[in-house]
Each structure stands twice: as structure tokens, then as C-alpha cells.
Short mmCIF file of all heavy atoms in Angstrom, two decimals:
data_model
loop_
_atom_site.label_atom_id
_atom_site.label_comp_id
_atom_site.label_asym_id
_atom_site.label_seq_id
_atom_site.Cartn_x
_atom_site.Cartn_y
_atom_site.Cartn_z
N MET A 165 7.94 60.58 7.47
CA MET A 165 6.50 60.53 7.41
C MET A 165 6.08 59.13 7.59
O MET A 165 6.37 58.19 6.93
CB MET A 165 6.07 61.04 5.96
CG MET A 165 4.56 60.88 5.78
SD MET A 165 3.96 61.59 4.16
CE MET A 165 4.89 60.81 2.95
N ALA A 166 5.12 58.95 8.59
CA ALA A 166 4.64 57.67 8.92
C ALA A 166 3.30 57.39 8.14
O ALA A 166 2.52 58.28 7.95
CB ALA A 166 4.41 57.58 10.47
N LEU A 167 3.18 56.20 7.70
CA LEU A 167 1.94 55.73 6.95
C LEU A 167 0.91 55.51 8.10
O LEU A 167 1.13 54.70 8.97
CB LEU A 167 2.19 54.62 6.12
CG LEU A 167 0.98 54.13 5.36
CD1 LEU A 167 0.51 55.13 4.32
CD2 LEU A 167 1.41 52.91 4.48
N VAL A 168 -0.18 56.16 7.94
CA VAL A 168 -1.33 55.98 8.86
C VAL A 168 -2.21 54.83 8.37
O VAL A 168 -2.63 54.78 7.20
CB VAL A 168 -2.18 57.28 9.04
CG1 VAL A 168 -3.35 56.96 9.96
CG2 VAL A 168 -1.29 58.38 9.60
N THR A 169 -2.52 53.83 9.23
CA THR A 169 -3.33 52.68 8.92
C THR A 169 -4.68 52.93 9.48
O THR A 169 -4.79 53.30 10.63
CB THR A 169 -2.77 51.42 9.40
OG1 THR A 169 -1.49 51.24 8.87
CG2 THR A 169 -3.67 50.26 8.99
N VAL A 170 -5.69 52.98 8.67
CA VAL A 170 -7.07 53.21 9.14
C VAL A 170 -8.04 52.04 8.78
O VAL A 170 -7.63 51.22 8.02
CB VAL A 170 -7.62 54.48 8.58
CG1 VAL A 170 -6.83 55.71 9.01
CG2 VAL A 170 -7.67 54.38 7.06
N ILE A 171 -9.06 51.95 9.49
CA ILE A 171 -9.99 50.90 9.16
C ILE A 171 -10.96 51.45 8.16
O ILE A 171 -11.19 52.64 7.95
CB ILE A 171 -10.74 50.50 10.46
CG1 ILE A 171 -11.53 51.65 11.17
CG2 ILE A 171 -9.83 49.90 11.42
CD1 ILE A 171 -12.35 51.21 12.34
N LYS A 172 -11.71 50.46 7.56
CA LYS A 172 -12.59 50.71 6.41
C LYS A 172 -13.73 51.79 6.84
O LYS A 172 -14.04 52.70 6.01
CB LYS A 172 -13.24 49.41 5.94
CG LYS A 172 -14.04 49.61 4.63
CD LYS A 172 -14.55 48.27 4.16
CE LYS A 172 -15.28 48.43 2.87
NZ LYS A 172 -15.78 47.21 2.41
N ALA A 173 -14.20 51.60 8.00
CA ALA A 173 -15.25 52.59 8.42
C ALA A 173 -14.69 54.03 8.39
O ALA A 173 -15.54 54.95 8.03
CB ALA A 173 -15.61 52.23 9.84
N GLU A 174 -13.52 54.33 8.85
CA GLU A 174 -12.88 55.63 8.83
C GLU A 174 -12.77 56.08 7.35
O GLU A 174 -13.01 57.34 7.05
CB GLU A 174 -11.45 55.64 9.46
CG GLU A 174 -11.61 55.40 10.90
CD GLU A 174 -10.24 55.35 11.61
OE1 GLU A 174 -9.34 54.50 11.02
OE2 GLU A 174 -10.01 56.05 12.52
N LEU A 175 -12.52 55.24 6.42
CA LEU A 175 -12.43 55.72 5.01
C LEU A 175 -13.76 56.00 4.46
O LEU A 175 -13.96 57.00 3.66
CB LEU A 175 -11.83 54.54 4.15
CG LEU A 175 -10.38 54.13 4.47
CD1 LEU A 175 -9.96 52.97 3.62
CD2 LEU A 175 -9.47 55.31 4.26
N VAL A 176 -14.82 55.30 4.85
CA VAL A 176 -16.20 55.60 4.43
C VAL A 176 -16.65 57.02 4.99
O VAL A 176 -17.17 57.75 4.35
CB VAL A 176 -17.20 54.46 4.86
CG1 VAL A 176 -18.64 54.88 4.60
CG2 VAL A 176 -16.79 53.23 4.19
N VAL A 177 -16.27 57.19 6.23
CA VAL A 177 -16.62 58.51 6.90
C VAL A 177 -15.85 59.62 6.12
O VAL A 177 -16.49 60.59 5.76
CB VAL A 177 -16.20 58.49 8.37
CG1 VAL A 177 -16.34 59.93 8.96
CG2 VAL A 177 -17.10 57.54 9.13
N ALA A 178 -14.58 59.40 5.85
CA ALA A 178 -13.83 60.42 5.14
C ALA A 178 -14.43 60.80 3.67
O ALA A 178 -14.54 61.89 3.38
CB ALA A 178 -12.35 60.07 5.08
N LEU A 179 -14.84 59.63 3.12
CA LEU A 179 -15.42 59.80 1.75
C LEU A 179 -16.74 60.71 1.82
O LEU A 179 -16.89 61.62 1.05
CB LEU A 179 -15.76 58.47 1.17
CG LEU A 179 -16.30 58.47 -0.27
CD1 LEU A 179 -15.09 58.53 -1.25
CD2 LEU A 179 -17.11 57.13 -0.45
N LYS A 180 -17.53 60.39 2.81
CA LYS A 180 -18.82 61.14 2.92
C LYS A 180 -18.47 62.58 3.40
O LYS A 180 -19.21 63.49 2.94
CB LYS A 180 -19.65 60.48 4.03
CG LYS A 180 -20.27 59.15 3.49
CD LYS A 180 -21.15 58.54 4.63
CE LYS A 180 -21.76 57.21 4.06
NZ LYS A 180 -22.59 56.60 5.08
N GLU A 181 -17.46 62.72 4.22
CA GLU A 181 -17.08 64.12 4.63
C GLU A 181 -16.67 64.95 3.39
O GLU A 181 -16.98 66.11 3.32
CB GLU A 181 -15.96 64.10 5.62
CG GLU A 181 -16.33 63.63 7.01
CD GLU A 181 -15.19 63.46 7.97
OE1 GLU A 181 -14.11 63.51 7.53
OE2 GLU A 181 -15.45 63.41 9.10
N GLY A 182 -16.00 64.33 2.48
CA GLY A 182 -15.48 65.00 1.31
C GLY A 182 -16.72 65.41 0.37
O GLY A 182 -16.71 66.49 -0.14
N ARG A 183 -17.64 64.52 0.27
CA ARG A 183 -18.80 64.81 -0.55
C ARG A 183 -19.54 66.01 0.14
O ARG A 183 -19.94 66.90 -0.59
CB ARG A 183 -19.76 63.66 -0.63
CG ARG A 183 -19.17 62.52 -1.38
CD ARG A 183 -20.18 61.37 -1.53
NE ARG A 183 -21.33 61.65 -2.42
CZ ARG A 183 -21.25 61.47 -3.81
NH1 ARG A 183 -20.16 60.95 -4.29
NH2 ARG A 183 -22.31 61.83 -4.41
N LEU A 184 -19.78 66.03 1.38
CA LEU A 184 -20.34 67.05 2.11
C LEU A 184 -19.69 68.38 1.98
O LEU A 184 -20.26 69.43 1.80
CB LEU A 184 -20.67 66.75 3.61
CG LEU A 184 -21.30 67.70 4.48
CD1 LEU A 184 -22.71 68.12 3.93
CD2 LEU A 184 -21.45 67.26 5.91
N ALA A 185 -18.32 68.32 2.08
CA ALA A 185 -17.50 69.47 2.03
C ALA A 185 -17.70 70.15 0.66
O ALA A 185 -17.90 71.40 0.57
CB ALA A 185 -16.02 69.19 2.11
N PHE A 186 -17.82 69.44 -0.46
CA PHE A 186 -18.09 70.03 -1.75
C PHE A 186 -19.42 70.70 -1.77
O PHE A 186 -19.57 71.82 -2.22
CB PHE A 186 -17.97 69.01 -2.92
CG PHE A 186 -18.28 69.62 -4.20
CD1 PHE A 186 -17.34 70.25 -4.86
CD2 PHE A 186 -19.56 69.53 -4.75
CE1 PHE A 186 -17.61 70.87 -6.11
CE2 PHE A 186 -19.87 70.13 -5.99
CZ PHE A 186 -18.88 70.82 -6.66
N GLU A 187 -20.40 70.06 -1.20
CA GLU A 187 -21.71 70.54 -1.16
C GLU A 187 -21.80 71.80 -0.42
O GLU A 187 -22.58 72.79 -0.68
CB GLU A 187 -22.74 69.55 -0.64
CG GLU A 187 -22.89 68.34 -1.55
CD GLU A 187 -23.70 67.24 -0.94
OE1 GLU A 187 -24.19 67.35 0.16
OE2 GLU A 187 -23.77 66.13 -1.63
N LEU A 188 -20.91 71.98 0.60
CA LEU A 188 -20.92 73.23 1.43
C LEU A 188 -20.03 74.32 0.89
O LEU A 188 -19.91 75.36 1.52
CB LEU A 188 -20.43 72.80 2.86
CG LEU A 188 -21.41 71.91 3.69
CD1 LEU A 188 -20.76 71.50 5.03
CD2 LEU A 188 -22.77 72.61 3.91
N GLY A 189 -19.43 74.02 -0.26
CA GLY A 189 -18.58 74.96 -0.94
C GLY A 189 -17.06 75.04 -0.58
O GLY A 189 -16.39 75.98 -0.84
N GLU A 190 -16.66 74.00 0.18
CA GLU A 190 -15.26 74.00 0.54
C GLU A 190 -14.37 73.60 -0.62
O GLU A 190 -14.89 73.03 -1.61
CB GLU A 190 -15.11 72.98 1.69
CG GLU A 190 -15.81 73.41 3.00
CD GLU A 190 -15.62 72.46 4.21
OE1 GLU A 190 -14.51 71.78 4.16
OE2 GLU A 190 -16.40 72.37 5.05
N GLN A 191 -13.12 73.85 -0.51
CA GLN A 191 -12.18 73.61 -1.62
C GLN A 191 -11.31 72.42 -1.13
O GLN A 191 -11.25 71.99 -0.01
CB GLN A 191 -11.28 74.84 -1.79
CG GLN A 191 -12.07 76.09 -2.24
CD GLN A 191 -12.91 75.84 -3.43
OE1 GLN A 191 -12.39 75.34 -4.51
NE2 GLN A 191 -14.24 76.24 -3.45
N VAL A 192 -10.50 71.97 -2.08
CA VAL A 192 -9.67 70.79 -1.92
C VAL A 192 -8.59 71.15 -0.74
O VAL A 192 -8.33 70.24 0.05
CB VAL A 192 -8.86 70.43 -3.18
CG1 VAL A 192 -7.77 69.42 -2.91
CG2 VAL A 192 -9.85 69.84 -4.23
N ALA A 193 -8.22 72.32 -0.74
CA ALA A 193 -7.21 72.71 0.26
C ALA A 193 -7.80 72.69 1.64
O ALA A 193 -7.09 72.66 2.70
CB ALA A 193 -6.71 74.13 -0.03
N ASP A 194 -9.08 72.54 1.80
CA ASP A 194 -9.74 72.48 3.13
C ASP A 194 -9.75 71.03 3.77
O ASP A 194 -10.31 70.90 4.87
CB ASP A 194 -11.17 73.04 3.05
CG ASP A 194 -11.31 74.47 2.70
OD1 ASP A 194 -10.39 75.18 3.16
OD2 ASP A 194 -12.17 74.80 1.89
N CYS A 195 -9.23 70.13 2.97
CA CYS A 195 -9.26 68.69 3.48
C CYS A 195 -8.53 68.66 4.84
O CYS A 195 -7.35 69.16 4.96
CB CYS A 195 -8.49 67.89 2.47
SG CYS A 195 -8.42 66.08 3.04
N PRO A 196 -9.17 68.11 5.86
CA PRO A 196 -8.54 68.01 7.19
C PRO A 196 -7.49 67.04 7.41
O PRO A 196 -6.83 67.06 8.48
CB PRO A 196 -9.76 67.79 8.09
CG PRO A 196 -10.69 66.90 7.21
CD PRO A 196 -10.46 67.52 5.82
N TYR A 197 -7.29 66.13 6.42
CA TYR A 197 -6.35 65.01 6.67
C TYR A 197 -5.05 65.42 5.93
O TYR A 197 -4.92 65.94 4.92
CB TYR A 197 -6.82 63.71 6.07
CG TYR A 197 -8.22 63.43 6.71
CD1 TYR A 197 -9.35 63.52 6.06
CD2 TYR A 197 -8.28 62.96 7.94
CE1 TYR A 197 -10.61 63.22 6.66
CE2 TYR A 197 -9.52 62.65 8.71
CZ TYR A 197 -10.62 62.73 7.90
OH TYR A 197 -11.88 62.49 8.52
N PRO A 198 -3.86 65.02 6.61
CA PRO A 198 -2.54 65.33 6.03
C PRO A 198 -2.12 64.45 4.90
O PRO A 198 -2.67 63.29 4.77
CB PRO A 198 -1.51 65.04 7.31
CG PRO A 198 -2.33 64.00 8.01
CD PRO A 198 -3.78 64.27 7.90
N PRO A 199 -1.28 64.99 4.07
CA PRO A 199 -0.74 64.08 2.93
C PRO A 199 -0.18 62.75 3.47
O PRO A 199 0.42 62.78 4.61
CB PRO A 199 0.42 64.99 2.32
CG PRO A 199 0.06 66.35 2.69
CD PRO A 199 -0.67 66.32 4.04
N GLY A 200 -0.40 61.75 2.76
CA GLY A 200 0.10 60.39 3.24
C GLY A 200 -0.94 59.61 3.99
O GLY A 200 -0.80 58.45 4.23
N ASP A 201 -2.07 60.31 4.40
CA ASP A 201 -3.12 59.63 5.25
C ASP A 201 -4.10 59.11 4.28
O ASP A 201 -4.57 59.75 3.32
CB ASP A 201 -3.70 60.73 6.14
CG ASP A 201 -4.75 60.12 7.19
OD1 ASP A 201 -5.44 59.16 6.82
OD2 ASP A 201 -4.77 60.60 8.33
N GLN A 202 -4.50 57.87 4.44
CA GLN A 202 -5.47 57.33 3.52
C GLN A 202 -6.82 57.86 3.54
O GLN A 202 -7.50 57.87 2.56
CB GLN A 202 -5.60 55.68 3.96
CG GLN A 202 -4.36 54.87 3.70
CD GLN A 202 -4.53 53.49 4.32
OE1 GLN A 202 -5.32 53.25 5.29
NE2 GLN A 202 -3.69 52.56 3.89
N ARG A 203 -7.09 58.52 4.65
CA ARG A 203 -8.36 59.21 4.80
C ARG A 203 -8.35 60.47 3.90
O ARG A 203 -9.38 60.85 3.37
CB ARG A 203 -8.68 59.62 6.30
CG ARG A 203 -8.92 58.38 7.13
CD ARG A 203 -9.02 58.74 8.52
NE ARG A 203 -7.62 59.22 8.87
CZ ARG A 203 -7.32 59.68 10.13
NH1 ARG A 203 -8.26 59.68 11.10
NH2 ARG A 203 -6.17 60.16 10.44
N ARG A 204 -7.13 61.02 3.55
CA ARG A 204 -7.13 62.15 2.73
C ARG A 204 -7.48 61.78 1.28
O ARG A 204 -8.23 62.52 0.66
CB ARG A 204 -5.69 62.73 2.70
CG ARG A 204 -5.55 64.00 1.78
CD ARG A 204 -4.14 64.53 1.81
NE ARG A 204 -4.05 65.68 0.99
CZ ARG A 204 -4.35 66.92 1.35
NH1 ARG A 204 -4.80 67.19 2.55
NH2 ARG A 204 -4.17 67.94 0.47
N ALA A 205 -7.07 60.63 0.84
CA ALA A 205 -7.34 60.16 -0.47
C ALA A 205 -8.92 59.93 -0.54
O ALA A 205 -9.48 60.24 -1.61
CB ALA A 205 -6.57 58.89 -0.77
N ALA A 206 -9.46 59.32 0.48
CA ALA A 206 -10.87 59.05 0.49
C ALA A 206 -11.66 60.30 0.43
O ALA A 206 -12.67 60.50 -0.24
CB ALA A 206 -11.24 58.11 1.70
N TRP A 207 -11.25 61.34 1.28
CA TRP A 207 -11.90 62.60 1.32
C TRP A 207 -11.88 63.24 0.02
O TRP A 207 -12.95 63.84 -0.55
CB TRP A 207 -11.24 63.53 2.38
CG TRP A 207 -11.91 64.76 2.75
CD1 TRP A 207 -12.68 64.92 3.76
CD2 TRP A 207 -11.83 66.06 2.03
NE1 TRP A 207 -13.19 66.27 3.79
CE2 TRP A 207 -12.65 66.93 2.69
CE3 TRP A 207 -11.25 66.50 0.88
CZ2 TRP A 207 -12.85 68.26 2.35
CZ3 TRP A 207 -11.37 67.77 0.49
CH2 TRP A 207 -12.14 68.70 1.21
N LEU A 208 -10.69 63.23 -0.70
CA LEU A 208 -10.53 63.85 -1.95
C LEU A 208 -11.46 63.14 -3.07
O LEU A 208 -12.02 63.74 -3.97
CB LEU A 208 -9.11 63.83 -2.47
CG LEU A 208 -8.17 64.83 -1.52
CD1 LEU A 208 -6.71 64.65 -1.93
CD2 LEU A 208 -8.60 66.16 -1.71
N ARG A 209 -11.47 61.80 -2.93
CA ARG A 209 -12.38 61.07 -3.88
C ARG A 209 -13.91 61.43 -3.68
O ARG A 209 -14.59 61.60 -4.69
CB ARG A 209 -12.19 59.52 -3.70
CG ARG A 209 -10.89 59.04 -4.33
CD ARG A 209 -10.96 57.51 -4.41
NE ARG A 209 -11.24 56.81 -3.13
CZ ARG A 209 -10.39 56.49 -2.27
NH1 ARG A 209 -9.06 56.73 -2.48
NH2 ARG A 209 -10.63 55.94 -1.10
N GLY A 210 -14.28 61.54 -2.46
CA GLY A 210 -15.66 62.06 -2.12
C GLY A 210 -15.89 63.46 -2.74
O GLY A 210 -16.95 63.67 -3.32
N TRP A 211 -14.96 64.34 -2.48
CA TRP A 211 -15.18 65.77 -3.01
C TRP A 211 -15.19 65.74 -4.50
O TRP A 211 -16.10 66.42 -5.04
CB TRP A 211 -13.83 66.54 -2.46
CG TRP A 211 -13.99 67.98 -2.71
CD1 TRP A 211 -14.46 68.91 -1.90
CD2 TRP A 211 -13.67 68.77 -3.90
NE1 TRP A 211 -14.44 70.19 -2.45
CE2 TRP A 211 -13.90 70.10 -3.69
CE3 TRP A 211 -13.14 68.33 -5.13
CZ2 TRP A 211 -13.74 71.07 -4.66
CZ3 TRP A 211 -12.87 69.28 -6.05
CH2 TRP A 211 -13.19 70.64 -5.93
N ALA A 212 -14.30 64.96 -5.16
CA ALA A 212 -14.31 64.95 -6.60
C ALA A 212 -15.52 64.25 -7.27
O ALA A 212 -16.07 64.83 -8.28
CB ALA A 212 -13.08 64.25 -7.13
N ALA A 213 -16.06 63.29 -6.54
CA ALA A 213 -17.23 62.58 -6.96
C ALA A 213 -18.49 63.57 -6.99
O ALA A 213 -19.28 63.64 -7.86
CB ALA A 213 -17.52 61.35 -6.09
N ALA A 214 -18.67 64.30 -5.82
CA ALA A 214 -19.65 65.26 -5.74
C ALA A 214 -19.54 66.40 -6.79
O ALA A 214 -20.56 66.81 -7.31
CB ALA A 214 -19.67 65.85 -4.37
N ARG A 215 -18.34 66.80 -6.95
CA ARG A 215 -18.06 67.85 -8.07
C ARG A 215 -18.48 67.29 -9.42
O ARG A 215 -19.19 67.94 -10.19
CB ARG A 215 -16.67 68.23 -7.99
CG ARG A 215 -16.26 69.28 -9.13
CD ARG A 215 -14.87 69.23 -9.48
NE ARG A 215 -14.44 67.93 -9.92
CZ ARG A 215 -13.21 67.47 -9.91
NH1 ARG A 215 -12.26 68.19 -9.42
NH2 ARG A 215 -12.91 66.28 -10.36
N ASP A 216 -18.14 66.07 -9.72
CA ASP A 216 -18.49 65.54 -11.04
C ASP A 216 -19.88 65.22 -11.19
O ASP A 216 -20.49 65.47 -12.28
CB ASP A 216 -17.60 64.22 -11.30
CG ASP A 216 -16.16 64.49 -11.31
OD1 ASP A 216 -15.76 65.65 -11.52
OD2 ASP A 216 -15.38 63.54 -11.23
N GLU A 217 -20.59 64.88 -10.19
CA GLU A 217 -22.07 64.73 -10.31
C GLU A 217 -22.78 65.92 -10.48
O GLU A 217 -23.72 66.03 -11.20
CB GLU A 217 -22.59 64.00 -8.91
CG GLU A 217 -22.22 62.56 -8.86
CD GLU A 217 -22.56 61.97 -7.43
OE1 GLU A 217 -23.21 62.63 -6.63
OE2 GLU A 217 -22.19 60.81 -7.28
N GLY A 218 -22.24 66.97 -9.83
CA GLY A 218 -22.80 68.31 -10.04
C GLY A 218 -22.64 68.81 -11.51
O GLY A 218 -23.59 69.40 -12.09
N LYS A 219 -21.61 68.46 -12.16
CA LYS A 219 -21.33 68.82 -13.58
C LYS A 219 -22.21 68.01 -14.41
O LYS A 219 -22.94 68.48 -15.47
CB LYS A 219 -19.92 68.55 -14.01
CG LYS A 219 -18.86 69.54 -13.41
CD LYS A 219 -17.56 69.12 -13.90
CE LYS A 219 -16.50 70.02 -13.27
NZ LYS A 219 -15.03 69.61 -13.69
N ASP A 220 -22.44 66.73 -14.20
CA ASP A 220 -23.22 65.77 -15.00
C ASP A 220 -24.63 66.16 -14.85
O ASP A 220 -25.56 65.96 -15.78
CB ASP A 220 -22.89 64.32 -14.67
CG ASP A 220 -21.49 63.86 -14.93
OD1 ASP A 220 -20.88 64.55 -15.80
OD2 ASP A 220 -21.13 62.89 -14.35
N GLY A 221 -25.07 66.60 -13.59
CA GLY A 221 -26.54 66.76 -13.32
C GLY A 221 -26.93 68.25 -13.65
O GLY A 221 -28.10 68.58 -13.50
N ALA A 222 -26.03 69.06 -14.14
CA ALA A 222 -26.42 70.45 -14.41
C ALA A 222 -27.52 70.52 -15.51
O ALA A 222 -27.38 69.95 -16.57
CB ALA A 222 -25.22 71.24 -14.97
N GLY A 223 -28.58 71.26 -15.19
CA GLY A 223 -29.62 71.47 -16.06
C GLY A 223 -30.71 70.37 -16.11
O GLY A 223 -31.60 70.48 -16.75
N GLU A 224 -30.50 69.34 -15.36
CA GLU A 224 -31.50 68.32 -15.23
C GLU A 224 -32.57 68.66 -14.22
O GLU A 224 -32.32 69.43 -13.24
CB GLU A 224 -30.96 66.99 -14.83
CG GLU A 224 -29.95 66.31 -15.79
CD GLU A 224 -29.47 64.91 -15.36
OE1 GLU A 224 -30.02 64.43 -14.44
OE2 GLU A 224 -28.56 64.49 -16.02
N GLY A 225 -33.83 68.19 -14.38
CA GLY A 225 -34.90 68.32 -13.54
C GLY A 225 -35.75 69.39 -13.83
O GLY A 225 -36.32 70.20 -13.58
#
């Protein structure tokens, strides 16, 4: 397995994609990046952040 090196901009994009994926109802298994890819970790962080914000914001407004 080769370690994929990515630039910071790609990580930001992956993070935003993960957040959007959660909002669209996608699951963790839907992550488009393979294990070992730094973008996968960013995508999963974005997905989890959106999930956690949804839990924290439940019932507000």
C-alpha cells in the first residue's frame, strides 16, 4: 500500500465533501477515498463534525 501525499487544498476539499455527504444522508462506507489516503481521514472528520453538530443543535431554533 502506497501512502498518498496530498496538498492542503485537497484536504480542505475532502473535509467539505465529508460534511456535505452527511447532510445528504450518506454513510461512512460511502467515503470515496481508499484506506491510507489522507483525504479519507479528512472526509471522515468532516462527516463526523457534521454529525456531531447535528446532535448538539437538535431542538435549537
Side-chain angles (χ1 to χ4, degrees):
M165 172 173 58
L167 180 63
V168 177
T169 303
V170 297
I171 59 174
K172 187 175 182 177
E174 291 175 310
L175 296 176
V176 171
V177 168
L179 184 80
K180 290 180 179 182
E181 288 175 344
R183 293 181 71 87
L184 179 60
F186 177 82
E187 293 170 6
L188 295 175
E190 295 182 26
Q191 301 300 313
V192 171
D194 296 322
C195 180
Y197 303 105
D201 189 321
Q202 294 172 337
R203 294 169 296 179
R204 180 178 182 85
W207 191 97
L208 294 172
R209 282 193 307 272
W211 189 94
R215 177 200 60 202
D216 293 346
E217 286 174 6
K219 288 179 184 176
D220 293 341
E224 290 183 13

